[in-house]
Amino acid sequence: MLAAEPVSDGLREGAAVESRARGSTHRPGAAGPDGGSPTGCRTRGCLLGPLVALHFDVGFVEVRKDRVASSDSDVWLQRTTPPDYQDRHLTLGFRKSLVTSGDRVLFVDDWIETGGQANAAHLLVEDAEATWIGAATVVDALHSNQVRRQLNVRSLLHVREL
Ligand SMILES: O=P(O)(O)OC[C@H]1O[C@H](OP(=O)(O)OP(=O)(O)O)[C@H](O)[C@@H]1O
C-alpha cells in the first residue's frame, strides 16, 4: 500500500537526514488497511502508524517497548526481540484485548534493519491469533532477503537510495 504512493522529495530528504544522524549503517521505528489494525513502535512508528490508520480509516495499536508494569489489571501480550540493530533485546507488547482473532494487522515503522522488532511484532500478532498482512516501512535497510520475504516487507526506499 505505501509502496504505491509516490516518494516525495521531502520524505526522501527526511530519511536521509535520519540516516546521517544515526550514522551510515543506521536509520530511523508498526499497522492495517482493509479492516486491519496498524500497529506502531514508539516513537517514530507511533507518528507514522496513526497517519496510515487515518488514511485507511482503521484502528491503531501502539506496540510498547519495555513497558513498565502499570497498576491496571489488563492482560498484555509480550515478546522479546532477537538482537536488534543496537544489539538490544527489547520486550515488545500490547494489551491483549486490542488485537483479536478477526483482525488483520499491518506493521508500520520508519525503518527496518535486522527485522528484530518487526519479527517480535509478528509473533505478537500470531499470539493474538490475528492475521499478519506485512510490514510497511519508509526505509528498508534489511540485509536478509529471507526476513523481507518472511515478514512481507514493503518499503518506500531502500537504504542504498539515501
Ligand atoms: O530492524 P530492527 O533492527 O529491529 O530496527 C528497527 C527499529 O529500530 C528503530 O527504532 P528505535 O529502537 O531506534 O527507536 P525509535 O522508534 O524511538 O526510533 C526503528 O524505528 C525500528 O523500530
Side-chain angles (χ1 to χ4, degrees):
M1 91 189 148
L2 292 179
E5 304 285 342
V7 179
S8 73
D9 290 344
L11 180 58
R12 190 183 299 275
E13 179 60 19
V17 167
E18 177 61 32
S19 181
R20 286 195 293 274
R22 292 178 181 244
S24 58
T25 60
H26 191 251
R27 97 272 358 214
D34 200 17
S37 298
T39 63
C41 277
R42 69 185 180 114
T43 49
R44 293 180 186 85
C46 280
L47 295 175
L48 289 172
L51 294 174
V52 175
L54 280 172
H55 181 77
F56 288 104
D57 195 23
V58 297
F60 171 77
V61 175
E62 177 189 19
V63 177
R64 302 290 297 273
K65 291 178 184 172
D66 287 336
R67 160 184 171 261
V68 176
S70 62
S71 56
D72 68 48
S73 58
D74 293 348
V75 178
W76 281 66
L77 294 176
Q78 297 196 106
R79 285 279 188 167
T80 301
T81 67
D84 74 351
Y85 75 100
Q86 288 185 318
D87 222 17
R88 298 173 299 181
H89 294 268
L90 298 170
T91 299
L92 305 188
F94 49 70
R95 281 188 177 81
K96 188 173 188 292
S97 59
L98 295 178
V99 181
T100 58
S101 60
D103 291 328
R104 302 174 67 230
V105 178
L106 175 68
F107 181 88
V108 172
D109 214 336
D110 58 344
W111 197 285
I112 187 166
E113 188 158 325
T114 66
Q117 295 187 34
N119 182 62
H122 184 210
L123 294 173
L124 286 167
V125 169
E126 288 187 341
D127 291 343
E129 299 180 349
T131 301
W132 176 269
I133 297 173
T137 68
V138 176
V139 178
D140 177 349
L142 282 168
H143 306 294
S144 160
N145 208 29
Q146 184 183 354
V147 174
R148 195 177 286 116
R149 279 198 304 269
Q150 183 188 357
L151 297 177
N152 192 24
V153 177
R154 298 285 190 278
S155 303
L156 294 176
L157 297 166
H158 191 275
V159 70
R160 284 191 303 266
E161 300 173 77
L162 297 177

